């Protein structure tokens, strides 16, 4: 196979994928990448895909659920594969050391394609491997990722294929991406059989927002639409009148459908979204306290602290400490 040939193209040749899993990754992310390939081989009745798991030091990788994932070796054991996929989750800045970044950068030219899942794109970007490409990352990191790497065209899609780079925002989008890979190489029928065996509704189009609706099971779909709109305007909160107008209803009707679906009003739901975002930023980033407050729509630091303490029982500084 030519090194320049896309892995997302019809082929009867086995595709060899190395998966670099970093500590504190999710088992669902790993399964979303590997299990569709395993099932595709079953549907094909032959080895259409091969894979190997590698880790930073060759030791088993501790995952967020508490189990350890066996590894075939350290990062260099990925050499010989057609593609390298990096899976990372929480605290990628801590678990991906300079040595790991340097090793990924060193071996990258030997692969036909490079991919990242969840926080995996951070690793590729830190290694200088995404400049000039389109890419996505988990929705919680989109803003920081775009600010840190202006040479990357960052989009909020579920998954993105850009040249010989492919990225997914999380576990379920990774499954969609792998089904797309299976379909591209082996035909839509095989990808459909894989999806059917998992009782999964395949979504081939990755160019969809990662958060189409926060309450898809709500009695009124306008609640999901309103919450999505709110989540897109945390830093500059909309008025209830603006939200209602966007939905084509009045404020009184907006309050009624929220109360019927969630048991709380839209203002309370909006505040909850902003405070949950603030808690995540405090726990997962080192952004200054004032920046966290502003990014979650609080212009008054003391007001932010009071609202946060009422909701979570501790001050923002106490949580960070």
């Amino acid at each position: 196979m030519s090194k320049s040939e896309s892995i997302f193209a019809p082929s009867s040749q086995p595709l060899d994928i190395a998966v670099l899993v970093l500590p504190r990754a999710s088992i669902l992310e790993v399964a979303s990448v590997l299990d569709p390939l395993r099932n595709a081989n079953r549907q094909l009745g032959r080895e259409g895909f091969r894979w190997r798991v590698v880790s930073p030091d060759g030791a088993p990788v501790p995952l967020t659920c508490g189990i350890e994932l066996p590894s075939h070796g350290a990062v260099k054991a990925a050499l010989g594969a057609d593609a390298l996929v990096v899976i990372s989750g929480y605290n990628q800045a801590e678990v991906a050391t300079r040595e790991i970044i340097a090793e990924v950068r060193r071996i990258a030219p030997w692969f036909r394609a490079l991919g990242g899942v969840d926080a995996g794109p951070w690793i590729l970007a830190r290694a200088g491997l995404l400049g000039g490409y389109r890419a996505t990352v988990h929705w919680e990191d989109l803003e920081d990722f775009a600010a840190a790497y202006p040479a990357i065209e960052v989009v909020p899609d579920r998954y993105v294929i850009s040249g010989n780079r492919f990225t997914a925002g999380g576990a379920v989008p990774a499954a969609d991406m792998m089904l797309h890979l299976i379909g591209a190489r082996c035909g839509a029928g095989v990808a459909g059989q894989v999806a059917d065996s998992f009782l999964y509704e395949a979504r081939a189009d990755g160019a969809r927002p990662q958060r189409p609706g926060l309450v898809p099971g709500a009695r009124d779909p306008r609640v999901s639409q309103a919450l999505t709109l709110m989540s897109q305007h945390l830093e500059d909160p909309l008025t209830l009148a603006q939200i209602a107008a966007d939905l084509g209803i009045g404020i009184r009707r907006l309050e009624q459908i929220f109360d019927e679906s969630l048991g709380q009003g839209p203002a309370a739901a909006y505040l909850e979204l902003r405070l949950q975002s603030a808690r995540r930023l405090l726990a997962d980033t080192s952004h200054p306290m004032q920046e966290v407050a502003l990014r979650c729509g609080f212009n008054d630091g003391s007001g932010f602290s009071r609202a946060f303490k009422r909701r979570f029982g501790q001050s923002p500084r106490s949580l960070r400490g």
Side-chain angles (χ1 to χ4, degrees):
M1 288 179 286
S2 168
K3 192 172 181 180
S4 61
E5 180 185 350
S6 172
I7 65 170
F8 291 89
S11 177
S12 60
Q13 297 297 313
L15 184 71
D16 194 339
I17 298 177
V19 182
L20 170 59
V21 182
L22 272 66
R24 297 183 222 173
S26 159
I27 192 171
L28 186 57
E29 292 162 355
V30 177
S32 293
V33 171
L34 297 183
D35 231 26
L37 304 180
R38 186 271 311 164
N39 196 289
N41 286 348
R42 174 172 173 260
Q43 303 299 336
L44 288 167
R46 61 177 175 84
E47 191 175 58
F49 300 91
R50 302 176 185 139
W51 56 88
R52 69 191 81 164
V53 172
V54 300
S55 64
D57 56 4
V61 187
L63 302 178
T64 52
C65 63
I67 71 169
E68 292 190 335
L69 182 71
S71 167
H72 285 75
V75 180
K76 64 181 180 180
L79 288 172
D82 297 301
L84 173 67
V85 180
V86 182
I87 300 179
S88 182
Y90 294 113
N91 304 109
Q92 61 79 23
E94 297 176 17
V95 299
T97 63
R98 291 183 179 180
E99 291 76 17
I100 295 172
I101 299 299
E103 186 70 351
V104 170
R105 183 187 302 117
R106 183 185 69 82
I107 67 174
W110 296 96
F111 300 98
R112 292 168 52 204
L114 300 171
V117 172
D118 198 335
W122 279 100
I123 312 306
L124 298 179
R126 290 172 60 191
L129 301 170
L130 285 181
Y133 291 91
R134 293 175 72 249
T136 193
V137 72
H138 192 277
W139 64 265
E140 292 180 342
D141 290 342
L142 281 167
E143 185 177 344
D144 288 340
F145 190 66
Y149 299 102
I152 302 172
E153 184 184 348
V154 181
V155 295
D157 298 356
R158 292 172 66 79
Y159 69 86
V160 177
I161 300 168
S162 178
N164 62 348
R165 303 292 192 267
F166 54 101
T167 51
V172 177
D176 291 336
M177 184 172 68
M178 301 312 288
L179 286 168
H180 179 72
L181 173 65
I182 293 166
R185 295 185 66 83
C186 309
V190 175
Q193 290 174 326
V194 173
D196 284 347
S197 70
F198 291 129
L199 305 182
Y200 182 73
E201 183 180 353
R203 296 164 176 162
D205 181 16
R208 294 179 297 115
Q210 293 181 22
R211 307 172 75 196
L214 298 179
V215 188
R219 184 178 305 174
D220 193 316
R222 290 172 293 185
V223 172
S224 290
Q225 296 172 21
L227 287 169
T228 298
L229 192 61
M230 291 174 183
S231 71
Q232 295 168 345
H233 293 270
L234 297 180
E235 187 170 346
D236 53 339
L238 301 173
T239 65
L240 295 188
Q242 289 174 313
I243 296 171
D246 192 271
L247 270 59
I249 58 177
I251 295 179
R252 189 169 181 178
R253 181 55 180 156
L254 177 69
E255 293 175 336
Q256 183 180 18
I257 62 176
F258 262 77
D259 186 61
E260 291 173 349
S261 293
L262 304 182
Q264 64 178 172
Y270 207 165
L271 179 61
E272 176 71 8
L273 285 176
R274 292 161 58 204
L275 289 172
Q276 291 289 353
S277 179
R279 183 168 70 166
R280 179 189 64 80
L281 289 171
L282 290 168
D284 297 346
T285 76
S286 58
H287 296 321
M289 200 72 63
Q290 184 63 23
E291 181 180 343
V292 171
L294 290 173
R295 288 175 65 164
C296 297
F298 295 93
N299 294 320
D300 175 23
S302 59
F304 165 58
S305 183
R306 288 194 298 271
F308 192 95
K309 189 170 184 177
R310 279 197 303 269
R311 173 62 182 85
F312 300 114
Q314 61 182 148
S315 69
R317 294 190 184 282
S318 175
L319 172 67
R320 175 160 280 179

